[in-house]
Amino acid sequence: VQLQASGGGLVQAGGSLRLSCAASGLTFSTYAMGWFRQAPGKEREFVAGINWSGGSTYYADSVKGRFTISRDNGRNTVYLQMNSLKPEDTAGYYCAAEDAISVLVGRDAVEYDYWGQGTLVTVSS
Protein backbone atom coordinates (compact mmCIF):
# COMPACT_ATOMS: atom_id res chain seq x y z
CA VAL A 1 0.00 0.00 0.00
CA GLN A 2 1.23 3.46 -0.91
CA LEU A 3 -0.23 6.85 -0.09
CA GLN A 4 1.53 9.64 -1.95
CA ALA A 5 0.79 13.13 -0.65
CA SER A 6 1.60 16.23 -2.68
CA GLY A 7 0.70 19.88 -3.04
CA GLY A 8 2.42 21.43 -0.06
CA GLY A 9 4.49 24.57 -0.27
CA LEU A 10 5.06 28.10 0.95
CA VAL A 11 2.10 30.47 0.92
CA GLN A 12 1.29 33.83 2.47
CA ALA A 13 -1.36 34.13 5.15
CA GLY A 14 -4.79 34.31 3.56
CA GLY A 15 -3.71 32.20 0.62
CA SER A 16 -4.80 28.77 -0.53
CA LEU A 17 -3.31 25.38 -1.24
CA ARG A 18 -4.76 22.11 -2.45
CA LEU A 19 -3.24 18.89 -1.16
CA SER A 20 -3.67 15.59 -2.96
CA CYS A 21 -3.11 12.04 -1.78
CA ALA A 22 -2.97 9.30 -4.38
CA ALA A 23 -3.51 5.77 -3.07
CA SER A 24 -2.41 2.47 -4.56
CA GLY A 25 -2.34 -1.13 -3.43
CA LEU A 26 -5.68 -1.05 -1.66
CA THR A 27 -9.36 -1.03 -2.55
CA PHE A 28 -9.63 2.70 -2.11
CA SER A 29 -13.42 2.88 -2.16
CA THR A 30 -13.66 0.72 0.99
CA TYR A 31 -11.43 3.00 3.08
CA ALA A 32 -12.19 6.13 5.00
CA MET A 33 -9.51 8.76 4.47
CA GLY A 34 -8.12 11.33 6.83
CA TRP A 35 -5.71 14.23 6.87
CA PHE A 36 -3.59 14.87 9.93
CA ARG A 37 -0.93 17.46 10.60
CA GLN A 38 2.05 17.77 12.88
CA ALA A 39 3.87 20.98 13.68
CA PRO A 40 7.40 21.00 15.16
CA GLY A 41 7.29 20.11 18.83
CA LYS A 42 3.61 19.26 18.74
CA GLU A 43 1.61 16.06 18.56
CA ARG A 44 -0.01 14.87 15.37
CA GLU A 45 -3.59 16.14 15.18
CA PHE A 46 -6.66 15.31 13.15
CA VAL A 47 -7.53 17.86 10.48
CA ALA A 48 -10.28 16.35 8.34
CA GLY A 49 -11.81 13.00 7.43
CA ILE A 50 -14.13 11.61 4.78
CA ASN A 51 -15.94 8.32 4.81
CA TRP A 52 -15.65 5.65 2.12
CA SER A 53 -18.40 7.04 -0.10
CA GLY A 54 -17.66 10.71 0.40
CA GLY A 55 -21.07 11.19 1.94
CA SER A 56 -19.77 12.16 5.38
CA THR A 57 -17.04 14.63 6.22
CA TYR A 58 -15.57 15.74 9.52
CA TYR A 59 -13.30 18.63 10.47
CA ALA A 60 -11.28 19.84 13.40
CA ASP A 61 -12.79 23.00 14.86
CA SER A 62 -9.62 24.90 13.98
CA VAL A 63 -10.13 24.39 10.23
CA LYS A 64 -13.90 24.23 9.93
CA GLY A 65 -15.14 26.66 7.31
CA ARG A 66 -11.68 27.07 5.76
CA PHE A 67 -10.70 23.55 4.69
CA THR A 68 -12.65 21.11 2.51
CA ILE A 69 -11.92 17.42 2.15
CA SER A 70 -13.12 15.51 -0.90
CA ARG A 71 -12.36 12.27 -2.70
CA ASP A 72 -12.49 10.80 -6.18
CA ASN A 73 -12.87 7.03 -5.92
CA GLY A 74 -12.36 6.68 -9.65
CA ARG A 75 -8.91 8.26 -9.32
CA ASN A 76 -8.08 6.71 -5.90
CA THR A 77 -7.33 10.20 -4.63
CA VAL A 78 -8.33 12.31 -1.66
CA TYR A 79 -7.97 16.09 -1.61
CA LEU A 80 -7.72 18.80 1.00
CA GLN A 81 -8.57 22.28 -0.20
CA MET A 82 -7.15 24.80 2.26
CA ASN A 83 -8.33 28.40 2.09
CA SER A 84 -7.70 31.43 4.30
CA LEU A 85 -4.49 29.87 5.54
CA LYS A 86 -3.00 31.10 8.79
CA PRO A 87 0.56 30.86 10.13
CA GLU A 88 -0.70 28.38 12.72
CA ASP A 89 -1.61 26.00 9.87
CA THR A 90 2.12 25.51 9.24
CA ALA A 91 2.86 21.80 9.63
CA GLY A 92 3.61 18.57 7.87
CA TYR A 93 0.34 17.22 6.48
CA TYR A 94 -0.22 13.47 6.31
CA CYS A 95 -2.94 11.46 4.63
CA ALA A 96 -4.08 8.19 6.13
CA ALA A 97 -6.42 5.34 5.27
CA GLU A 98 -8.80 3.62 7.66
CA ASP A 99 -10.26 0.22 6.71
CA ALA A 100 -13.89 1.02 7.43
CA ILE A 101 -17.16 1.13 5.56
CA SER A 102 -19.19 3.39 7.79
CA VAL A 103 -20.71 6.82 7.96
CA LEU A 104 -18.18 7.53 10.70
CA VAL A 105 -14.52 8.48 10.34
CA GLY A 106 -11.82 8.05 12.94
CA ARG A 107 -10.35 11.13 14.58
CA ASP A 108 -7.56 9.26 16.37
CA ALA A 109 -4.37 8.37 14.51
CA VAL A 110 -4.39 4.85 15.97
CA GLU A 111 -7.58 4.08 14.05
CA TYR A 112 -5.79 4.40 10.71
CA ASP A 113 -4.11 1.51 8.95
CA TYR A 114 -1.86 3.18 6.38
CA TRP A 115 -0.01 6.51 6.23
CA GLY A 116 1.54 8.65 3.55
CA GLN A 117 4.93 10.31 3.83
CA GLY A 118 3.64 13.82 4.40
CA THR A 119 3.86 17.13 2.58
CA LEU A 120 5.04 20.35 4.19
CA VAL A 121 2.83 23.43 4.34
CA THR A 122 4.41 26.70 5.44
CA VAL A 123 2.26 29.78 5.90
CA SER A 124 4.11 33.07 6.27
CA SER A 125 2.66 36.06 8.08
Side-chain angles (χ1 to χ4, degrees):
V1 175
Q2 285 194 330
L3 301 178
Q4 184 71 39
S6 61
L10 174 64
V11 63
Q12 288 188 330
S16 299
L17 283 174
R18 188 195 197 202
L19 306 184
S20 299
C21 174
S24 61
L26 75 170
T27 305
F28 183 74
S29 60
T30 65
Y31 281 76
M33 298 298 295
W35 285 97
F36 290 74
R37 67 186 181 188
Q38 187 167 18
K42 295 188 176 181
E43 293 187 354
R44 188 167 297 192
E45 63 174 356
F46 173 81
V47 175
I50 187 166
N51 80 326
W52 64 278
S53 68
S56 300
T57 57
Y58 303 85
Y59 298 93
D61 288 343
S62 58
V63 307
K64 202 171 294 183
R66 299 188 297 122
F67 291 11
T68 302
I69 189 171
S70 62
R71 67 187 296 159
D72 183 340
N73 285 351
R75 295 179 182 270
N76 287 4
T77 302
V78 62
Y79 305 97
L80 185 68
Q81 178 66 44
M82 306 186 295
N83 298 330
S84 302
L85 283 161
K86 305 175 181 180
E88 51 263 45
D89 294 319
T90 295
Y93 282 71
Y94 300 84
C95 60
E98 178 190 12
D99 188 1
I101 297 182
S102 170
V103 297
L104 301 177
V105 171
R107 289 176 175 262
D108 195 325
V110 299
E111 299 181 74
Y112 286 78
D113 302 285
Y114 302 105
W115 290 84
Q117 85 291 354
T119 185
L120 182 62
V121 172
T122 304
V123 184
S124 63
S125 57

Coordinates of all heavy atoms in Angstrom, one line a residue, residues 81-123:
Q81 N -8.6 20.9 0.2 CA -8.6 22.3 -0.2 C -8.5 23.2 1.0 O -9.3 23.1 1.9 CB -9.8 22.6 -1.0 CG -9.9 24.1 -1.5 CD -8.8 24.4 -2.5 OE1 -8.6 23.7 -3.4 NE2 -8.2 25.6 -2.3
M82 N -7.4 24.0 1.1 CA -7.1 24.8 2.3 C -7.2 26.3 1.8 O -6.4 26.7 1.0 CB -5.8 24.4 2.9 CG -5.6 23.0 3.2 SD -4.1 22.6 4.0 CE -2.9 23.0 2.8
N83 N -8.2 27.0 2.4 CA -8.3 28.4 2.1 C -8.1 29.2 3.3 O -8.1 28.7 4.5 CB -9.7 28.7 1.6 CG -10.0 27.9 0.2 OD1 -9.1 27.7 -0.6 ND2 -11.3 27.6 0.0
S84 N -7.9 30.5 3.2 CA -7.7 31.4 4.3 C -6.7 30.9 5.3 O -6.9 30.9 6.5 CB -9.0 31.7 5.0 OG -10.0 32.2 4.1
L85 N -5.5 30.5 4.7 CA -4.5 29.9 5.5 C -3.9 30.9 6.5 O -3.8 32.1 6.3 CB -3.4 29.3 4.6 CG -3.8 28.0 4.0 CD1 -2.9 27.7 2.8 CD2 -3.7 26.8 5.0
K86 N -3.6 30.3 7.7 CA -3.0 31.1 8.8 C -1.6 30.5 9.1 O -1.3 29.4 8.9 CB -3.9 31.0 10.0 CG -5.3 31.4 9.8 CD -6.2 31.1 11.0 CE -7.6 31.5 10.8 NZ -8.5 31.3 12.0
P87 N -0.8 31.4 9.7 CA 0.6 30.9 10.1 C 0.5 29.6 11.0 O 1.3 28.7 10.9 CB 1.2 32.1 10.9 CG 0.5 33.2 10.2 CD -0.9 32.8 9.9
E88 N -0.6 29.5 11.8 CA -0.7 28.4 12.7 C -1.1 27.1 12.0 O -1.1 26.0 12.6 CB -1.7 28.7 13.8 CG -3.0 29.2 13.4 CD -3.1 30.7 13.5 OE1 -2.1 31.4 13.1 OE2 -4.2 31.2 13.9
D89 N -1.4 27.2 10.7 CA -1.6 26.0 9.9 C -0.3 25.4 9.4 O -0.3 24.3 8.8 CB -2.5 26.3 8.6 CG -3.9 26.8 9.0 OD1 -4.5 26.2 9.9 OD2 -4.4 27.7 8.4
T90 N 0.8 26.0 9.6 CA 2.1 25.5 9.2 C 2.4 24.2 9.9 O 2.3 24.1 11.1 CB 3.2 26.5 9.6 OG1 3.1 27.7 8.8 CG2 4.6 25.9 9.3
A91 N 2.6 23.1 9.1 CA 2.9 21.8 9.6 C 3.2 20.8 8.5 O 3.0 21.2 7.3 CB 1.6 21.3 10.4
G92 N 3.6 19.7 8.8 CA 3.6 18.6 7.9 C 2.2 18.0 7.8 O 1.6 17.7 8.9
Y93 N 1.7 17.8 6.6 CA 0.3 17.2 6.5 C 0.4 15.8 6.0 O 1.1 15.5 5.0 CB -0.5 18.1 5.5 CG -1.0 19.3 6.2 CD1 -0.1 20.4 6.5 CD2 -2.3 19.5 6.5 CE1 -0.6 21.5 7.1 CE2 -2.8 20.6 7.1 CZ -1.9 21.6 7.4 OH -2.4 22.8 8.1
Y94 N -0.3 14.9 6.6 CA -0.2 13.5 6.3 C -1.6 12.9 6.0 O -2.6 13.2 6.7 CB 0.3 12.7 7.5 CG 1.7 13.1 7.9 CD1 1.9 14.2 8.8 CD2 2.8 12.4 7.5 CE1 3.2 14.6 9.1 CE2 4.1 12.8 7.8 CZ 4.3 13.9 8.7 OH 5.5 14.3 9.0
C95 N -1.7 12.1 4.9 CA -2.9 11.5 4.6 C -2.9 10.0 5.2 O -1.8 9.5 5.3 CB -3.2 11.4 3.1 SG -2.0 10.6 2.1
A96 N -4.0 9.5 5.5 CA -4.1 8.2 6.1 C -5.3 7.5 5.7 O -6.3 8.1 5.4 CB -4.0 8.3 7.7
A97 N -5.3 6.2 5.7 CA -6.4 5.3 5.3 C -6.9 4.4 6.4 O -6.1 3.8 7.1 CB -6.0 4.5 4.1
E98 N -8.2 4.4 6.6 CA -8.8 3.6 7.7 C -9.7 2.6 7.0 O -10.6 3.0 6.2 CB -9.6 4.5 8.6 CG -10.4 3.7 9.7 CD -11.4 4.6 10.4 OE1 -11.6 5.7 10.0 OE2 -11.9 4.2 11.5
D99 N -9.5 1.3 7.3 CA -10.3 0.2 6.7 C -11.6 0.2 7.4 O -11.8 -0.5 8.4 CB -9.5 -1.1 6.9 CG -10.2 -2.2 6.1 OD1 -11.2 -2.0 5.5 OD2 -9.7 -3.4 6.2
A100 N -12.6 0.9 6.8 CA -13.9 1.0 7.4 C -14.9 1.5 6.4 O -14.7 2.4 5.7 CB -13.9 2.0 8.6
I101 N -16.0 0.7 6.4 CA -17.2 1.1 5.6 C -18.2 1.6 6.6 O -18.9 0.7 7.1 CB -17.7 0.0 4.6 CG1 -16.6 -0.4 3.6 CG2 -18.9 0.4 3.9 CD1 -17.0 -1.4 2.7
S102 N -18.3 2.9 6.8 CA -19.2 3.4 7.8 C -19.5 4.8 7.5 O -18.8 5.5 6.6 CB -18.5 3.3 9.2 OG -19.2 4.0 10.1
V103 N -20.5 5.4 8.1 CA -20.7 6.8 8.0 C -19.7 7.6 8.8 O -19.5 8.8 8.7 CB -22.2 7.2 8.3 CG1 -23.1 6.6 7.4 CG2 -22.5 6.8 9.8
L104 N -19.1 6.9 9.8 CA -18.2 7.5 10.7 C -16.7 7.5 10.2 O -16.4 6.7 9.3 CB -18.2 6.8 12.1 CG -19.6 6.8 12.7 CD1 -19.6 6.0 14.0 CD2 -20.1 8.2 13.0
V105 N -15.9 8.4 10.7 CA -14.5 8.5 10.3 C -13.7 8.6 11.6 O -14.1 9.4 12.5 CB -14.3 9.7 9.4 CG1 -12.8 9.9 9.2 CG2 -14.9 9.5 8.1
G106 N -12.6 7.9 11.7 CA -11.8 8.1 12.9 C -11.2 9.4 13.1 O -10.8 10.0 12.1
R107 N -11.0 9.9 14.3 CA -10.3 11.1 14.6 C -9.0 10.9 15.3 O -8.3 11.8 15.5 CB -11.2 12.0 15.4 CG -12.4 12.6 14.7 CD -13.3 13.4 15.6 NE -14.4 14.1 14.9 CZ -14.3 15.4 14.5 NH1 -13.3 16.1 14.8 NH2 -15.4 15.9 13.9
D108 N -8.8 9.6 15.7 CA -7.6 9.3 16.4 C -6.6 8.6 15.4 O -7.0 7.7 14.7 CB -7.9 8.3 17.5 CG -6.8 8.2 18.5 OD1 -5.6 8.2 18.1 OD2 -7.0 8.1 19.7
A109 N -5.4 8.9 15.4 CA -4.4 8.4 14.5 C -4.3 6.8 14.6 O -4.0 6.2 13.6 CB -3.0 9.0 14.8
V110 N -4.5 6.3 15.8 CA -4.4 4.8 16.0 C -5.5 4.1 15.2 O -5.4 2.9 15.0 CB -4.4 4.5 17.5 CG1 -3.3 5.1 18.2 CG2 -5.8 4.8 18.1
E111 N -6.5 4.8 14.8 CA -7.6 4.1 14.0 C -7.2 3.9 12.6 O -8.0 3.2 11.9 CB -8.9 4.9 14.2 CG -9.4 5.1 15.6 CD -10.6 5.9 15.7 OE1 -11.7 5.3 15.3 OE2 -10.6 7.1 16.1
Y112 N -6.1 4.5 12.1 CA -5.8 4.4 10.7 C -4.8 3.3 10.5 O -3.9 3.1 11.3 CB -5.3 5.8 10.2 CG -6.4 6.7 10.1 CD1 -7.0 7.3 11.2 CD2 -7.0 7.0 8.9 CE1 -8.1 8.2 11.1 CE2 -8.1 7.9 8.8 CZ -8.6 8.5 9.9 OH -9.7 9.3 9.8
D113 N -4.9 2.7 9.3 CA -4.1 1.5 9.0 C -2.9 1.8 8.1 O -1.8 1.1 8.2 CB -5.0 0.5 8.2 CG -6.2 0.1 9.0 OD1 -6.0 -0.7 9.9 OD2 -7.3 0.5 8.7
Y114 N -3.0 2.8 7.3 CA -1.9 3.2 6.4 C -1.7 4.7 6.4 O -2.6 5.5 6.5 CB -2.2 2.7 4.9 CG -2.4 1.2 4.9 CD1 -3.7 0.7 4.7 CD2 -1.3 0.3 5.0 CE1 -3.9 -0.6 4.6 CE2 -1.6 -1.1 4.9 CZ -2.9 -1.5 4.7 OH -3.1 -2.9 4.7
W115 N -0.4 5.1 6.2 CA 0.0 6.5 6.2 C 0.9 6.9 5.0 O 1.7 6.1 4.6 CB 0.8 6.8 7.5 CG -0.1 6.7 8.7 CD1 -0.5 5.6 9.4 CD2 -0.8 7.8 9.4 NE1 -1.3 6.0 10.5 CE2 -1.5 7.3 10.5 CE3 -0.8 9.2 9.1 CZ2 -2.3 8.1 11.3 CZ3 -1.6 10.0 9.9 CH2 -2.3 9.5 11.0
G116 N 0.7 8.1 4.6 CA 1.5 8.6 3.5 C 2.8 9.3 4.2 O 2.9 9.4 5.4
Q117 N 3.7 9.8 3.3 CA 4.9 10.3 3.8 C 4.9 11.8 4.3 O 5.8 12.2 4.9 CB 6.0 10.2 2.7 CG 6.1 11.3 1.7 CD 4.9 11.4 0.8 OE1 4.0 10.5 0.8 NE2 4.8 12.4 0.0
G118 N 3.8 12.4 4.0 CA 3.6 13.8 4.4 C 4.1 14.8 3.4 O 5.0 14.6 2.5
T119 N 3.5 16.0 3.4 CA 3.9 17.1 2.6 C 3.8 18.4 3.5 O 2.9 18.5 4.3 CB 2.9 17.3 1.4 OG1 3.4 18.3 0.5 CG2 1.5 17.5 1.8
L120 N 4.9 19.2 3.3 CA 5.0 20.4 4.2 C 4.3 21.6 3.7 O 4.4 22.0 2.5 CB 6.5 20.7 4.3 CG 6.9 21.8 5.3 CD1 6.5 21.5 6.7 CD2 8.4 22.1 5.2
V121 N 3.5 22.2 4.6 CA 2.8 23.4 4.3 C 3.4 24.5 5.3 O 3.4 24.3 6.5 CB 1.3 23.3 4.6 CG1 0.6 24.6 4.5 CG2 0.7 22.3 3.6
T122 N 3.9 25.6 4.7 CA 4.4 26.7 5.4 C 3.6 27.9 5.1 O 3.6 28.3 3.9 CB 5.9 26.9 5.1 OG1 6.6 25.7 5.4 CG2 6.5 28.0 6.0
V123 N 3.0 28.6 6.1 CA 2.3 29.8 5.9 C 3.0 30.9 6.5 O 3.2 30.9 7.8 CB 0.8 29.6 6.5 CG1 0.0 30.9 6.2 CG2 0.2 28.4 6.0

